[in-house]
Amino acid sequence: MRNAIFFTLVMLPLTALLIYLLVLIIRALRKYIKSAPIREENRAVRGSLAEKLREHRVRCKMTQEFVAEALGVSRQAVSKWENGASDPSTANLIALAKLYGVSPEELLEGL
């Protein structure tokens, strides 16, 4: 009798909870797997923006440290932008365009 009550009150809800969690995990994995093309496209966009930022900086004969000081950000932030690890904010992108003497649209062209 005691085992039946224990099973009903404890084990049955735990089993249901574990099944529910398993279903959620499977859904999340399926969604992640299906998003592979989108992740790849985002990676390509980040890469091409990073390349453009680096090309313009080198063309203007500026160091990452100079760009960072001009924008009021860290040198590591500029490095992350140029390596594609992160993207500059809209305000920083506009400031970069002004610093490099190009339009913001030119930096984003082809992305």
Side-chain angles (χ1 to χ4, degrees):
M1 176 80 172
R2 204 174 224 175
N3 286 339
I5 294 172
F6 175 76
F7 181 78
T8 304
L9 294 177
V10 177
M11 295 305 288
L12 199 58
L14 279 177
T15 303
L17 179 64
L18 288 175
I19 291 171
Y20 179 68
L21 289 174
L22 184 63
V23 168
L24 289 178
I25 290 170
I26 289 170
R27 283 184 183 173
L29 286 173
R30 289 179 70 196
K31 188 173 185 177
Y32 178 77
I33 290 169
K34 287 181 181 179
S35 70
I38 295 169
R39 288 192 320 271
E40 185 60 36
E41 180 181 333
N42 288 341
R43 191 174 301 122
V45 167
R46 268 191 237 111
S48 58
L49 177 60
E51 291 167 5
K52 286 184 179 187
L53 293 175
R54 184 179 301 114
E55 287 171 5
H56 282 290
R57 180 180 58 78
V58 170
R59 177 185 55 80
C60 293
K61 298 180 181 158
M62 298 178 185
T63 64
Q64 286 183 346
E65 191 169 334
F66 178 82
V67 172
E69 287 177 14
L71 270 62
V73 298
S74 68
R75 187 200 55 77
Q76 289 82 359
V78 176
S79 177
K80 286 181 182 180
W81 299 339
E82 291 185 0
N83 290 325
S86 68
D87 293 328
S89 68
T90 305
N92 285 332
L93 188 67
I94 292 169
L96 284 165
K98 286 181 183 178
L99 185 64
Y100 297 151
V102 296
S103 68
E105 291 84 12
E106 188 175 332
L107 289 177
L108 298 173
E109 189 176 300
L111 299 183

